[in-house]
Amino acid sequence: MVFTCYAIVGTFGYIAFAGEQFQSSYYQKQTTDFGILSQNFLNMFSYDETPEIIVRLMIYVQLSCSYPLVNNFQREILMNLIWKTTDVSDKKFKMLNICISIVPLCFALFYPKIGSILGYAASVSGFLMIYVIPVITYMKMRKIEILHPLLAAAIQENEVQLFVPNK
């Protein structure tokens, strides 16, 4: 179902963006930045064309299927960080869900340039994944080697080895 949903969104999105009708109607309405796509591409589609309606419907299906998964991951991580357990009261659980939902809602309502937010989030995430996390994991392994040499030896002995066939 996920593949089908993404394939439909991609196909109809391409048809909607590449169509002669879209290009002429959207670019004629623009007074500045001719040829530049809007940061919220859903605002670029008309509301009375079939491909655009199908794209909006499929994006709605994607979001309604993926948001609960992302919300669950965020909630688990925050509960472990804040309360050191995932067993919390119903009141705390509901307040955490509300906080997780309100932050992106406020960004969507009050800051319409979602592309710049995504650019900053991607650059910070890339920085953390490329430069910070490898250094932290290396330092953690060295700390284990210093404080618990037997545990470090056991970890290294039981490490999974990649199989590389001979050429």
Side-chain angles (χ1 to χ4, degrees):
M1 287 185 64
V2 171
F3 172 75
T4 305
C5 192
Y6 277 96
I8 291 172
V9 168
T11 304
F12 280 105
Y14 176 76
I15 291 169
F17 276 121
E20 192 75 28
Q21 183 179 10
F22 168 77
Q23 291 180 0
S24 62
S25 65
Y26 177 72
Y27 289 136
Q28 285 176 358
K29 292 177 190 173
Q30 275 188 317
T31 56
T32 61
D33 295 333
F34 183 77
I36 303 294
L37 298 177
S38 174
Q39 288 194 21
N40 185 352
F41 73 95
L42 290 177
N43 291 337
M44 297 169 53
F45 294 138
S46 63
Y47 292 95
D48 57 352
E49 296 293 324
T50 305
E52 288 90 345
I53 292 171
I54 293 173
V55 166
R56 287 173 197 257
L57 180 66
M58 289 295 111
I59 289 174
Y60 173 74
V61 169
Q62 284 177 334
L63 289 176
S64 58
C65 292
S66 64
Y67 183 74
L69 292 172
V70 173
N71 188 15
N72 183 39
F73 294 140
Q74 287 177 339
R75 186 175 55 238
E76 296 271 332
I77 290 169
L78 288 174
M79 283 192 292
N80 282 328
L81 282 173
I82 297 170
W83 296 292
K84 307 289 186 215
T85 181
T86 56
D87 244 358
V88 295
S89 67
D90 284 344
K91 183 179 178 183
K92 289 180 182 178
F93 185 82
K94 290 176 184 175
M95 287 304 297
L96 190 59
N97 274 335
I98 289 170
C99 290
I100 288 173
S101 299
I102 284 186
V103 170
L105 177 67
C106 288
F107 274 112
L109 290 175
F110 302 117
Y111 193 74
K113 296 184 178 183
I114 192 70
S116 59
I117 294 172
L118 291 176
Y120 289 126
S123 61
V124 168
S125 299
F127 169 76
L128 291 174
M129 287 190 295
I130 293 171
Y131 297 111
V132 176
I133 292 175
V135 172
I136 289 174
T137 54
Y138 178 79
M139 290 171 58
K140 176 72 173 174
M141 187 61 197
R142 291 295 170 216
K143 180 181 176 185
I144 291 173
E145 287 177 357
I146 292 169
L147 297 178
H148 308 286
L150 291 176
L151 177 61
I155 289 172
Q156 287 177 352
E157 187 176 311
N158 293 318
E159 225 174 42
V160 176
Q161 297 294 324
L162 293 176
F163 175 72
V164 180
N166 292 335
K167 291 185 180 182

